[in-house]
Amino acid sequence: MGNSNSSRFPAQDRFEGGAQYIGGRFVPGTSGRKQDVVDPATGDVVYAYELAGAPDVDAAVAAAKDAFPAWAAATPAERSDALHRFAAVLADRAEEFAQAESLQCGKPIKLSREFDVPGTVDNTAFFAGAARHLQGQSAGEYSGDHTSYVRREAIGVVGSIAPWNYPLQMAAWKVLPAIAAGNTIVLKPAEITPLTSLLFAEAATAAGIPDGVVNIVSGAGRDAGEHLVGHPDVVMTSFTGSTAVGKRVAEIATATVKRTHLELGGKAPFVVFDDADLEAAVHGAVAASLINSGQDCTAATRAYVQRPLYDAFVAGVADLMATVRVGDPFDPATDMGPLISHVHRDRVAGFVERARSYARIVTGGEAPKNQGAFYLPTLVADAPQHSEVVQSEIFGPVLAVLPFDSDDEGIRLANDTPYGLAASAWSRDVYRAGRATREIKAGCVWVNDHIPIISEMPHGGYKASGYGKDMSAYSFEEYTQVKHVMYDNTAVAAKDWHRTIFGDR
Ligand code: NAD
């Protein structure tokens, strides 16, 4: 364990019972293994706790299973009211959430205050409304002799696993549609960033959401995570994280025939056609590649720029990147904080070091000499399309930029990675942009912007970026099951269709 600097985590006294939230109470983990939560800007340990083991996962699943019948039977209006109260509690505690999120992730406080926390409050309010609008096919007499209708039902206990990059928003994206639809949930946050998921679950209780509806197990992926995915009482697994771990999760879930929902990695292209507003594209590229220090699954990572604009785009991005203020996440003026850890920073730096042999590092490419896991905004030009800097998810503040000639080539290069989470097209020509939106294989394509998300619209991948949708009414399709109910309307014992079984008596 390192130096404990718990004074910087004012919400800590809420976790006196431990860092597992089971059945509406904080309790300690029982794995016997300790975990530090480290402020990546300083290297200080800000909280230390005992990880969840399999018995803690079992207890959380049991609590969720007990809570399910009553929660599923609550009326949509009751669940909606509870979610409205939840949104209000979150809004009241917004600053506490922002502080905790910035502390455990190193996120600039302005990003936590203006994006992560308000986004979560808005998502909660959205699902409060959506809870009363579960859509289904209309009822009707499709056979002539029966009335058919569709029930959209909760499925039971959901087991969810979230990553460290947006811990609060990822918890919200998993928990809210699941509980709005009447399910109960056990969420495993990334073990290095459990703080805001725990606060989120406790806020749900404070809002009057019944004990056991939202449970958190703060445990490691290999044991608590795999145990949760394989648990026989968990009927669905919803996972956000890397493609490699997503494949493992799918494998385990298959063995128990679970529904899976996988939100995986990304390598978003940013395609600039030669009629684009260059200034807008330059601003967009810097913002979209550096948000959250580039640790964003939809971040712009590969800019393809049509030849006539290429040199000016490279120069413009490099100049603007050099103005980005990298430093203390708690300084409201800071634009970019550290990466999540020194290990991850070194991994990111490794990609850039290897790229020096085949590409041009236009700006950045170094780590400031201080205690934190910082890395400077980095622009890598002229890397070959099949080099790792263009193909692999780096998950850091590194933008690769490549030229293209024809529109066909730009779109082909944009599609030429295994991923398909998000993309953007930059053009003033509605037909060119329209073609890009149709032909780029990604779950979201922006036109003349890159990053904004909204509660009403779905988020989710194509290809190796996974399947299933977060946010929006579409997520109810993930967290509900559809039942066909069919009533006989004839009241006749010998029905017409019986002739196919009994002959024509
Ligand atoms: P990760 O895959 O290493 O870990 C994600 C979660 O899985 C963590 O909670 C971890 O403890 C758990 N885990 C690890 N091994 C496991 C196992 N064997 N069984 C069960 N659970 C296990 O990802 P990360 O490094 O935390 O996050 C970064 C990744 O998440 C990136 O690839 C990023 O693109 C992706 N991401 C995707 C989206 C999206 O919406 N598509 C959103 C955010 C992040």
Side-chain angles (χ1 to χ4, degrees):
M1 311 279 269
N3 298 324
S4 187
N5 184 7
S6 55
S7 59
R8 286 189 57 202
F9 177 37
Q12 185 174 148
D13 55 0
R14 293 186 186 278
F15 303 164
E16 265 168 9
Q20 315 300 329
Y21 196 75
I22 299 176
R25 286 191 315 127
F26 285 108
V27 293
T30 62
S31 69
R33 286 186 298 123
K34 298 279 188 209
Q35 174 70 44
D36 290 341
V37 178
V38 175
D39 171 358
T42 60
D44 289 341
V45 175
V46 295
Y47 182 65
Y49 70 96
E50 187 157 348
L51 287 162
D56 308 309
V57 173
D58 292 343
V61 172
K65 195 175 170 187
D66 283 352
F68 176 70
W71 184 245
T75 64
E78 286 164 344
R79 286 199 294 269
S80 172
D81 286 351
L83 284 162
H84 277 301
R85 292 194 300 273
F86 190 14
V89 172
L90 294 171
D92 280 352
R93 297 188 184 169
E95 184 58 19
E96 180 182 273
F97 277 95
Q99 295 279 335
E101 196 74 326
S102 283
L103 186 63
Q104 65 178 354
C105 300
K107 247 178 239 283
I109 191 72
K110 68 177 176 183
L111 185 67
S112 296
R113 284 182 182 146
E114 293 175 31
F115 183 66
D116 300 68
V117 178
T120 300
V121 173
D122 186 66
N123 238 254
T124 312
F126 171 80
F127 281 107
R132 300 182 75 166
H133 290 279
L134 280 183
Q135 308 262 325
Q137 208 180 355
S138 57
E141 286 65 48
Y142 300 97
S143 77
D145 287 342
H146 306 83
T147 296
S148 282
Y149 65 87
V150 162
R151 288 174 55 82
R152 203 171 257 289
E153 297 180 342
I155 44 185
V157 177
V158 176
S160 290
I161 297 184
W164 47 257
N165 61 336
Y166 291 103
L168 176 61
Q169 292 204 82
M170 294 303 102
W173 289 12
K174 299 292 174 218
V175 168
L176 295 168
I179 69 171
N183 303 288
T184 56
I185 189 165
V186 177
L187 170 78
K188 192 200 85 59
E191 56 273 37
I192 55 174
T193 55
L195 303 183
T196 46
S197 305
L198 291 164
L199 291 173
F200 186 70
E202 190 221 11
T205 304
I209 292 177
D211 293 349
V213 172
V214 181
N215 306 276
I216 307 290
V217 288
S218 309
R222 286 258 167 75
D223 44 20
E226 296 203 2
H227 191 68
L228 179 61
V229 176
H231 201 293
D233 289 336
V234 169
V235 292
M236 170 181 170
T237 296
S238 123
F239 172 82
T240 299
S242 61
T243 298
V245 176
K247 288 179 184 167
R248 173 80 186 127
V249 164
E251 233 174 66
I252 301 170
T254 300
T256 43
V257 199
K258 282 189 175 64
R259 182 184 296 211
T260 53
H261 165 115
L262 300 175
E263 298 289 351
L264 308 178
K267 187 74 183 174
F270 184 104
V271 184
V272 183
F273 295 100
D274 58 12
D275 65 334
D277 177 336
L278 179 65
E279 190 190 359
V282 165
H283 278 84
V286 173
S289 61
L290 301 186
I291 183 169
N292 208 33
S293 302
Q295 302 164 126
D296 182 307
C297 50
T298 62
T301 58
R302 303 176 281 141
Y304 297 101
V305 184
Q306 213 153 16
R307 195 83 60 182
L309 294 188
Y310 186 69
D311 290 343
F313 180 89
V314 170
V317 168
D319 287 351
L320 192 55
M321 276 185 168
T323 70
V324 166
R325 293 158 298 190
V326 179
D328 176 5
F330 288 93
D331 180 342
T334 292
D335 299 316
M336 202 179 95
L339 300 185
I340 190 66
S341 66
H342 287 82
V343 170
H344 185 57
R345 193 268 309 273
D346 294 347
R347 182 179 167 276
V348 168
F351 279 102
V352 178
E353 288 314 304
R354 292 188 293 278
R356 288 184 196 281
S357 65
Y358 58 76
R360 186 159 57 94
I361 312 303
V362 185
T363 189
E366 55 181 296
K369 293 194 180 9
N370 59 31
Q371 302 259 287
F374 293 92
Y375 197 72
L376 293 184
T378 299
L379 183 64
V380 179
D382 309 331
Q385 171 68 10
H386 289 107
S387 59
E388 66 164 7
V389 86
V390 179
Q391 292 290 323
S392 302
E393 186 177 43
I394 298 173
F395 228 52
V398 179
L399 177 66
V401 55
L402 291 78
F404 69 92
D405 291 304
S406 67
D407 289 18
D408 284 354
E409 186 190 10
I411 291 173
R412 181 177 58 74
L413 293 172
N415 281 328
D416 180 25
T417 74
Y419 296 108
L421 188 58
S424 63
W426 296 73
S427 170
R428 288 189 249 229
D429 178 335
V430 68
Y431 296 103
R432 277 176 124 175
R435 176 182 173 199
T437 65
R438 290 190 301 276
E439 294 187 13
I440 294 179
K441 305 281 178 257
C444 170
V445 181
W446 290 280
V447 175
N448 296 329
D449 207 342
H450 190 122
I451 285 298
I453 48 174
I454 39 171
S455 299
E456 289 82 354
M457 286 289 138
H459 168 93
Y462 282 22
K463 296 159 64 181
S465 294
Y467 47 81
K469 298 295 173 193
D470 280 328
M471 303 199 294
S472 79
Y474 288 95
S475 60
F476 282 130
E477 285 169 19
E478 313 291 318
Y479 293 99
T480 52
Q481 53 197 348
V482 165
K483 179 183 282 174
H484 170 209
V485 178
M486 198 177 204
Y487 281 80
D488 168 62
N489 291 334
T490 62
V492 171
K495 303 192 193 305
D496 255 6
W497 69 270
H498 292 174
R499 279 180 301 157
T500 57
I501 317 295
F502 308 129
D504 55 359
R505 276 172 285 156

